[in-house]
Amino acid sequence: MFFKRLRADINAAKRNDPAARSKFEIWLTYSGVHALSWHRAAAFFYKIKLKLLARIISQMAKFFTGIEIHPAAKIAPGVFIDHGAGVVIGETAEVGEGTVIYQGCTLGGTGKETGKRHPTVGKNCVISAGAKVLGGITVGDCAKVGAGAVVLKDVPPHATVVGVPARVVRIGGSKEGVDLYQEKSDPYAKEICRLRERVFRLESELRKLVGEDAIPLHTPEEEAFLREAREGGSAIKCPESAPDAKQNDKK
């Protein structure tokens, strides 16, 4: 069984890495294959209740390969960890056959909760460099997680997700059926717009209290805002933030 899984891991590396020249070279030099082999041994000892020995083996694997896999993690044969440096796979994580994981990825939890607290990654997925998949979520079969993405919600099968937090930008290679608003929505920009509009309104009220010349304006944009504010308008082009800003002012 061990050698069968090792062959599946080597074949996955040969299939997914165009730089691989031979299976013998993969077996000798690929840290991802070595880490998975160490993990199979650690998982065996973990199952027979020798958990301390299992943890020692996993930490040795981390020292030699730079890849940390908890002995209780369930990793199917045929997974390929490319480069591998900085990869962390948590205790209750599950990774399906054919999945490719690049360097710097984390399949981790979001806190100190117990039970199923790490992600389940389906078959033939791609977790790109630096991606963080956190919590007891599910990444569907054949899904792709973009580099540097932070995934906090379930990913549907055949979807591509990018960003922080991650959002779906394609399903099956097409944008059809995808909520385009979420692709353009930026929570940080919206919050900045709310704060910016509130500051301008407070400055306008302050100028009315202390006198128009007491607070000099430095930019044409500020002057335009105050001019439109007197007329009941707004110079800030943040239509999404305006209702919230008005509600906050009423509060």
Side-chain angles (χ1 to χ4, degrees):
M1 181 66 71
F2 174 82
F3 291 105
K4 182 179 180 181
R5 292 182 174 183
L6 176 60
R7 283 196 297 269
D9 295 339
I10 292 173
N11 289 335
K14 186 72 168 65
R15 182 172 60 253
N16 290 287
D17 188 2
R21 293 181 295 180
S22 69
K23 294 181 179 180
F24 183 69
E25 179 185 50
I26 292 171
W27 178 65
L28 282 178
T29 64
Y30 276 49
S31 61
V33 174
H34 296 164
L36 290 173
S37 297
W38 286 80
H39 170 69
R40 314 276 184 217
F44 170 77
F45 289 110
Y46 196 88
K47 288 179 181 178
I48 63 174
K49 307 302 181 182
L50 296 176
K51 296 184 178 181
L52 177 59
L53 179 58
R55 289 291 288 173
I56 291 172
I57 293 173
S58 70
Q59 291 304 302
M60 289 177 62
K62 175 186 174 183
F63 177 78
F64 287 109
T65 66
I67 300 169
E68 182 174 0
I69 307 175
H70 193 281
K74 298 178 181 178
I75 302 180
V79 170
F80 177 42
I81 301 178
D82 196 2
H83 300 293
V87 169
V88 177
I89 300 178
E91 178 182 6
T92 60
E94 301 177 33
V95 183
E97 180 182 354
T99 291
V100 179
I101 301 174
Y102 289 92
Q103 68 273 13
C105 293
T106 299
L107 305 183
T110 57
K112 297 181 179 180
E113 65 273 8
T114 58
K116 180 68 167 113
R117 61 188 186 279
H118 298 100
T120 297
V121 180
K123 298 180 179 179
N124 302 311
C125 296
V126 176
I127 313 297
S128 300
K132 314 300 177 187
V133 186
L134 306 176
I137 62 177
T138 299
V139 178
D141 294 346
C142 303
K144 297 179 180 179
V145 177
V150 178
V151 184
L152 302 173
K153 297 181 180 179
D154 289 348
V155 178
H158 302 278
T160 300
V161 297
V162 300
V164 181
R167 55 195 184 277
V168 178
V169 293
R170 282 180 174 79
I171 296 180
S174 172
K175 289 189 176 183
E176 186 175 349
V178 176
D179 183 3
L180 297 179
Y181 175 77
Q182 63 150 3
E183 184 178 348
K184 297 177 182 178
S185 177
D186 186 340
Y188 296 106
K190 287 162 61 175
E191 186 63 25
I192 290 172
C193 283
R194 293 189 186 103
L195 293 173
R196 185 182 180 197
E197 186 166 346
R198 188 170 180 82
V199 166
F200 279 128
R201 289 183 179 180
L202 291 173
E203 287 183 349
S204 177
E205 293 299 323
L206 185 60
R207 286 173 60 83
K208 292 178 181 178
L209 292 174
V210 302
E212 293 293 321
D213 299 329
I215 303 177
L217 297 179
H218 303 288
T219 66
E221 186 180 30
E222 291 175 335
E223 293 178 357
F225 178 85
L226 289 176
R227 186 166 53 253
E228 293 192 16
R230 297 189 191 99
E231 299 171 359
S234 175
I236 306 302
K237 306 301 182 182
C238 296
E240 296 171 355
S241 68
D244 294 336
K246 292 177 181 178
Q247 291 176 4
N248 291 335
D249 287 341
K250 290 179 181 179
K251 293 179 182 178

